[in-house]
Amino acid sequence: MRKLNIVSCLCVSLMLLHMGARAAEAASPAAKSSPLKLRIAYVAPVGVMAPVWMAAESGAFRREGLEVELIYIEARSAIAALIAKEVDALEISAPGIVPAVLAGADVTMIAGLLNKMIFSFHAQKEIKSAEQLRGKIVGTDRAGTPSDYGGRMALTLMGLKPESDVQLLRLGGSAVLWPALQSGQIAGATLTPPQSFKADAVGFARLANTYHLPYQNVGVVVRKADVEPRAELWERALRAFREGIHRWYDDPKLAKEALTKYTKERDPEMLQKTYDFFTRQAGFNKELIPTDQGIQQILTFVGSTTLPAAKDAPPTRFYDPRILERLKK
């Protein structure tokens, strides 16, 4: 009996020591259970922004030890907010960062989430051709934004010069241009899903698609000076983005719930069309690798139209591959 009591005491003592060590570890500032806070902005309440929504709604950020605050900021203000450290990262497409980088801004893309164009040009129902659009008011966003680039590209494909053949009215992105088109405030505009599908459904004329063109669409953009010092945080974030994209493909129900939450779209048909578009036609990029060809397409176009300095800039100037390289290890 005495030997048994000694053994029991030893077991209890060891168990108490183990519990104490675990409690001390949990109380430590360096404990892994303490989430790292991160503010990520997306620049439009439209389907293309789904990767960051999926990373949040699937719990991927949380599993990576990140406490993420999602913030909606219009594209025209997003780069300024990032530079001012009002947010830590942006989900935005490459045309939004090209002018800033060329002007010396300390920003860079660390992952590409979608490498295809998604813009289509829609006009009032009575306008059946590009020629009938000539001289009329076309809605767009501020110069240098993704919507402005998409609009200029669509007009060029139709054989129109954006600065002289139409009157550009700078209103905002797709979510703003769609109501303006419905109200008759503008004759035409470039839209993205789901607004483009709504325009089709009620009979607005679809005059051009840009789907076939190389393009660096949305990616994760951060301050360049933060890439190395916060490398572990970005590695966790990109793993969460990648998991979110996989969940988009594997869990249509969750994907459509995320679309409903962030776009406020409740029409089952529009939700299904948007999901199908970003699954089959313009699929999100599971590898997260930016496309040099897509960035070069942007540089060539803006270099010959609005930003001559872009002509000689290499695509590699606009993204930093170091975090993706860490993910491979």
Side-chain angles (χ1 to χ4, degrees):
M1 284 291 293
R2 188 175 180 184
K3 287 184 179 179
L4 181 60
N5 287 338
I6 293 172
V7 171
S8 299
C9 289
L10 283 172
C11 288
V12 170
S13 298
L14 288 170
M15 185 168 59
L16 289 172
L17 285 170
H18 179 66
M19 290 173 64
R22 290 187 65 182
E25 181 183 358
S28 169
K32 291 182 180 180
S33 59
S34 301
L36 299 175
K37 294 186 178 182
L38 190 61
R39 298 162 300 170
I40 302 179
Y42 60 95
V43 300
V46 295
V48 71
M49 296 292 153
V52 71
W53 303 338
M54 290 300 294
E57 297 304 309
S58 67
F61 283 134
R62 186 177 61 253
R63 284 188 288 277
E64 288 294 338
L66 300 176
E67 182 181 323
V68 173
E69 178 186 3
L70 295 188
I71 304 168
Y72 167 43
I73 300 177
E74 286 193 4
R76 63 179 68 195
S77 307
I79 298 297
L82 180 63
I83 293 171
K85 299 186 178 181
E86 294 172 5
V87 295
D88 301 299
L90 299 176
E91 186 177 62
I92 193 171
S93 55
I97 71 169
V98 165
V101 171
L102 291 174
D106 182 43
V107 298
T108 190
M109 185 175 283
I110 59 172
L113 307 175
L114 180 62
N115 295 348
K116 295 183 180 180
M117 286 200 85
I118 60 170
F119 299 105
S120 53
F121 191 93
H122 300 258
Q124 295 294 337
K125 299 172 185 180
E126 68 274 11
I127 298 175
K128 305 299 183 183
S129 68
E131 190 58 35
Q132 290 178 312
L133 195 64
R134 193 178 296 273
K136 292 184 169 58
I137 297 174
V138 169
T140 186
D141 203 348
R142 193 177 70 183
T145 59
S147 287
D148 176 70
Y149 174 81
R152 289 174 181 277
M153 182 60 75
L155 289 167
T156 302
L157 288 174
M158 290 188 284
L160 297 172
K161 295 179 181 179
E163 301 296 348
S164 57
D165 290 340
V166 296
Q167 303 175 54
L168 295 179
L169 181 60
R170 306 189 189 286
L171 297 172
S174 187
V176 177
L177 295 172
W178 169 229
L181 187 65
Q182 288 177 289
S183 68
Q185 182 182 359
I186 54 179
T190 302
L191 303 177
T192 61
Q195 284 78 13
S196 55
F197 300 140
K198 293 180 180 180
D200 291 335
V202 294
F204 285 93
R206 181 182 283 241
L207 299 184
N209 288 329
T210 63
Y211 302 158
H212 62 289
L213 297 173
Y215 184 59
Q216 178 54 64
N217 209 313
V218 288
V220 181
V221 176
V222 303
R223 291 179 293 274
K224 197 168 186 178
D226 286 346
V227 174
E228 189 61 34
R230 306 182 80 181
E232 183 185 347
L233 180 146
W234 303 130
E235 188 176 352
R236 293 190 197 183
L238 294 194
R239 277 199 300 266
F241 270 101
R242 186 169 59 192
E243 182 180 340
I245 290 173
H246 278 280
R247 284 294 296 275
W248 171 270
Y249 288 98
D250 296 340
D251 193 343
K253 182 176 181 292
L254 180 63
K256 284 180 276 189
E257 287 173 355
L259 288 174
T260 299
K261 178 177 179 178
Y262 292 96
T263 69
K264 309 305 179 186
E265 178 59 63
R266 302 192 183 281
D267 184 333
E269 183 180 357
M270 291 296 113
L271 290 169
Q272 188 63 50
K273 285 185 175 181
T274 302
Y275 177 75
D276 290 343
F277 181 85
F278 287 108
T279 302
R280 299 170 185 171
Q281 183 158 358
F284 293 116
N285 178 17
K286 297 176 182 178
E287 291 76 30
L288 307 185
I289 301 171
T291 164
D292 281 16
Q293 184 184 16
I295 297 174
Q296 185 60 61
Q297 169 75 14
I298 296 166
L299 296 174
T300 300
F301 182 78
V302 299
S304 63
T305 54
T306 60
L307 199 60
K311 284 183 180 179
D312 300 321
T316 51
R317 183 174 173 183
F318 302 90
Y319 67 90
D320 189 324
R322 285 179 289 176
I323 307 304
L324 289 177
E325 288 169 359
R326 286 173 62 106
L327 283 178
K328 295 176 184 178
K329 297 177 181 178

